[in-house]
């Protein structure tokens, strides 16, 4: 019966050795694949950072364009409002001129 215990122990040791060799072999075969995945991850991260930088730059340009558009809009609005006042100003000027001419005629008479 003693030989069964030793045989069991030998089988367990052989199993552990096989497990160790198998694990090492698997790790060794997976290492290049893991390295390629890390390289791909690094490349993707680099591209992501580049895109993020370009996005930030575009946001700055967008803000500048929006400010220019707002400035141009205000300038056009001011010009249109001033143009709308021209008829009223012309009428006022005409009345003032006519009143001045009438006052001069009455003063000279």
């Amino acid at each position: 019966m003693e030989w069964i215990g030793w045989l069991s122990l030998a089988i367990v040791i052989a199993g552990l050795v096989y497990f160790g060799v198998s694990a090492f072999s698997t790790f060794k075969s997976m290492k290049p694949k893991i390295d390629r995945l890390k390289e791909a991850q690094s490349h993707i991260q680099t591209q992501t950072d580049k895109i993020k930088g370009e996005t930030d730059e575009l946001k700055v340009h967008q803000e500048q364009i929006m400010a220019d558009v707002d400035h141009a809009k205000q300038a056009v609005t001011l010009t249109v409002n001033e143009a709308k006042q021209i008829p009223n100003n012309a009428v006022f000027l005409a009345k003032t001129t006519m009143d001045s001419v009438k006052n001069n005629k009455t003063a000279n008479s």
Side-chain angles (χ1 to χ4, degrees):
M1 273 291 190
E2 192 175 302
W3 60 275
I4 292 178
W6 289 107
L7 183 61
S8 296
L9 182 62
I11 290 173
V12 169
I13 290 173
L16 289 174
V17 169
Y18 178 75
F19 175 72
V21 169
S22 176
F24 181 74
S25 174
T26 301
F27 175 75
K28 193 173 181 180
S29 69
M30 292 298 289
K31 182 124 174 76
K33 295 174 187 173
I34 291 171
D35 290 342
R36 275 186 278 156
L37 286 174
K38 285 181 181 179
E39 183 179 323
Q41 178 188 11
S42 173
H43 180 70
I44 290 170
Q45 185 64 42
T46 302
Q47 292 297 323
T48 302
D49 292 343
K50 181 180 175 184
I51 290 171
K52 185 176 184 279
E54 289 175 359
T55 302
D56 293 342
E57 190 175 318
L58 286 174
K59 283 181 183 177
V60 168
H61 289 300
Q62 180 185 15
E63 290 172 0
Q64 290 174 348
I65 290 171
M66 292 301 289
D68 289 346
V69 166
D70 287 340
H71 179 66
K73 182 179 174 183
Q74 289 175 353
V76 168
T77 303
L78 180 64
T79 303
V80 167
N81 289 337
E82 290 298 322
K84 287 178 182 179
Q85 295 297 321
I86 289 175
N88 295 336
N89 292 340
V91 168
F92 177 75
L93 179 63
K95 284 182 182 180
T96 306
T97 305
M98 293 303 259
D99 289 342
S100 176
V101 169
K102 285 180 185 178
N103 287 338
N104 282 342
K105 283 185 182 181
T106 54
N108 289 337
S109 303

